Amino acid sequence: MFTWSNVRALVIGDVMLDRYLEGEVNRISPEAPVPVVRLAREWYRPGGAGNVAASLAGLGCRTMLAGASGADPESDRLRQALLDSGVSHCVLAERPGSRTICKTRVVSQGHHQLLRLDQDGARDEYRAAGTDLKDRLAALLADQDVVVLSDYDKGTLTPSLVRAAIDACRERSIPCVVDPKQLDFRAYAGATLLTPNLLEARRAAARPLDDDDAVAEAAAELRGRLDLDHMLITRGADGMTLATSSGLHHFPAEVREVADVTGAGDTVAAVLAACLGGGLGVEDACRAASVAAGIAVGHPGCYVVQGDELDWALRGHSPKVRSPEAARRWALDQRRAGRAVVFTNGCFDILHAGHLSCLEAARKLGDALVVGLNSDASVRGLKGPTRPVVGQDHRAALLAGLSCVDAVVLFDGPTPEDLIRQIEPDVLVKGGDYSIDGIVGADLVRAQGGRVATIPLVPGLSTTSIFAASRDAESRRHSNSA
């Protein structure tokens, strides 16, 4: 069975620090026709090759990152951001003569980007760091299942480092996935899988790629010319085209509402690498990458797809069903956009009109509704060995199908307290059979400025009453037949 946590992945490439300055915009400066941003918060996350590593760690892979940075405060922030994202080991060749590559984005509280400031490192220093990494390559490759070369053309991935890494992977039978940036793809010859976007492929092919046939022809031609195992051209809304030794394959894009395409290429590279490192075939890897990209672009900013979130989507379930970590990030995105998050929870074993009435009322108390759903194990612990009647996957799918529900999160404990602590809702809601003070998590929500509410139940309509009526009807049928 494929398990993300069994995959050991190494990412080598141009590492960056992404800095976000977020604030409220409500006036134009009298000094110049520019918006005035009242700074509310500041945060950091890994960028470039760091985002690929964070994406692999988000899936659950054991991830190592090798790159370069300056010897400056931004390097310290980058290391902390990588640690926070779950990257287990980080090898950064610090170059005192350079600066850490940093992109600063000024964004509104609706997450609209207002300005970007780029701080690049000294290219010669980053090339020297690439030479240092080449000398350490054998140690870096030890015990790895897959390698990703994440090239942002900042200097770290020198031609000699790329050549040495690809050759070493070939010798060790380790898949090597390359996300290219250099105009001349000959630097990546012999890789397992090359993943240019359409613009990069067009430049490498030196001709327009305006339709499916032209893209397919270029993919096959580049694969052969570069002695690649596989060539994948990513095409945004038009999906992905794969060339292999067995032929050509097209993977349509997952149709979702697009919020932000930032980092989608990194998501694709990470999922492809994780799948190949775990022993999956390249076509299955491409299908998984397409689904993951569809999830990522549905979120503002650079979103890291979680392993269980992707597993659920690959089984054909609604993207509304999220892992606790994915739900936490989603709720944070909602609040950044100025939307109030509402939370409620329950077993929902046999979804009925009473549930629907309460859920619709809960949704009206805010802008986005998260439903915490007791897992099968949790329901058994609360209601006995004969419950639930409906399994957790089916209960989750039914809830996700309701227009008033924006996210569904399964939890195993007897109460959703830990989940509430992660989600940090603005509004906590339960049915009218609860007192405000008796609602689990009420103290947590009120302590952070949120509110707690109850909703009247539909009289005479509950799962228990439905079960009782069913048993009575069955008993009457047996009596009449006797």
Side-chain angles (χ1 to χ4, degrees), residues 79-93:
R79 290 177 184 276
Q80 185 60 52
L82 288 163
L83 180 65
D84 292 343
S85 68
V87 177
S88 58
H89 190 47
C90 181
V91 178
L92 289 182

Side-chain angles (χ1 to χ4, degrees), residues 151-153 157-159 162 179-188 200 203-204:
D151 193 350
Y152 276 81
D153 196 26
L157 285 176
T158 63
V162 171
D179 191 5
K181 188 62 67 177
Q182 298 179 37
L183 294 179
D184 188 352
F185 281 4
R186 286 178 295 181
Y188 312 117
E200 292 160 346
R203 289 171 175 169

Side-chain angles (χ1 to χ4, degrees), residues 407-427:
V408 180
V409 191
L410 286 158
F411 66 93
D412 287 320
T415 76
E417 183 171 351
D418 288 343
L419 185 56
I420 292 169
R421 187 175 283 107
Q422 287 182 278
I423 300 296
E424 297 182 337
D426 302 288
V427 185

Side-chain angles (χ1 to χ4, degrees), residues 160-414:
S160 61
L161 173 57
V162 171
R163 182 76 273 130
I166 292 174
D167 290 345
C169 286
R170 284 282 180 189
E171 291 171 5
R172 293 164 172 79
S173 298
I174 300 172
C176 183
V177 176
V178 181
D179 191 5
K181 188 62 67 177
Q182 298 179 37
L183 294 179
D184 188 352
F185 281 4
R186 286 178 295 181
Y188 312 117
T192 306
L193 175 62
L194 194 65
T195 65
N197 61 32
L198 185 60
L199 176 60
E200 292 160 346
R202 184 185 299 137
R203 289 171 175 169
R207 62 177 183 271
L209 303 178
D210 296 331
D211 55 39
D212 291 349
D213 290 342
V215 174
E217 181 180 348
E221 175 188 312
L222 289 168
R223 190 197 77 81
R225 186 197 308 169
L226 300 171
D227 192 27
L228 306 169
D229 288 354
H230 317 292
M231 175 74 174
L232 180 72
I233 300 177
T234 60
R235 304 168 58 191
D238 291 324
M240 305 188 299
T241 298
L242 174 70
T244 71
S245 59
S246 62
L248 293 161
H249 312 269
H250 182 70
F251 303 89
E254 293 293 313
V255 180
R256 299 181 189 272
E257 183 179 352
V258 176
D260 195 333
V261 299
T262 304
D266 293 338
T267 299
V268 168
V271 174
L272 288 168
C275 291
L276 294 179
L280 294 183
V282 68
E283 292 180 45
D284 288 337
C286 288
R287 292 188 188 96
S290 180
V291 172
I295 295 171
V297 301
H299 298 263
C302 206
Y303 182 76
V304 173
V305 178
Q306 303 297 300
D308 50 0
E309 178 183 23
L310 179 54
D311 287 338
W312 186 269
L314 289 171
R315 296 202 300 268
H317 296 296
S318 168
K320 289 184 182 180
V321 182
R322 307 175 190 275
S323 68
E325 173 59 22
R328 183 192 67 79
R329 290 174 56 86
W330 175 84
L332 179 60
D333 289 341
Q334 299 301 307
R335 288 193 296 275
R336 285 176 180 165
R339 308 182 77 208
V341 176
V342 182
F343 180 92
T344 192
N345 67 279
C347 298
F348 300 98
D349 192 16
I350 301 186
L351 190 64
H352 55 71
H355 289 142
L356 179 60
S357 175
C358 288
L359 291 169
E360 288 177 334
R363 179 63 168 75
K364 291 176 182 177
L365 297 177
D367 303 299
L369 175 61
V370 180
V371 178
L373 179 64
N374 294 75
S375 68
D376 289 349
S378 176
V379 175
R380 281 193 295 272
L382 293 171
K383 300 182 180 293
T386 62
R387 300 282 295 276
V389 173
V390 180
Q392 62 187 36
D393 287 1
H394 296 293
R395 288 184 286 124
L398 288 168
L399 286 167
L402 301 178
S403 61
C404 59
V405 174
D406 298 285
V408 180
V409 191
L410 286 158
F411 66 93
D412 287 320

Side-chain angles (χ1 to χ4, degrees), residues 127-151:
R127 289 193 183 108
T131 300
D132 292 344
L133 293 175
K134 178 186 173 185
D135 293 339
R136 304 171 65 177
L137 195 57
L140 292 171
L141 289 174
D143 300 322
Q144 301 295 343
D145 296 311
V146 67
V147 172
V148 183
L149 301 183
S150 179
D151 193 350

Side-chain angles (χ1 to χ4, degrees), residues 103-144:
K103 295 180 180 179
T104 300
R105 295 172 176 86
V106 182
V107 297
S108 69
Q109 289 184 320
H111 214 77
H112 299 295
Q113 191 170 149
L114 304 173
L115 179 69
R116 195 179 97 178
L117 303 173
D118 284 8
Q119 170 183 295
D120 281 335
R123 183 173 286 270
D124 288 345
E125 292 292 335
Y126 275 74
R127 289 193 183 108
T131 300
D132 292 344
L133 293 175
K134 178 186 173 185
D135 293 339
R136 304 171 65 177
L137 195 57
L140 292 171
L141 289 174
D143 300 322
Q144 301 295 343

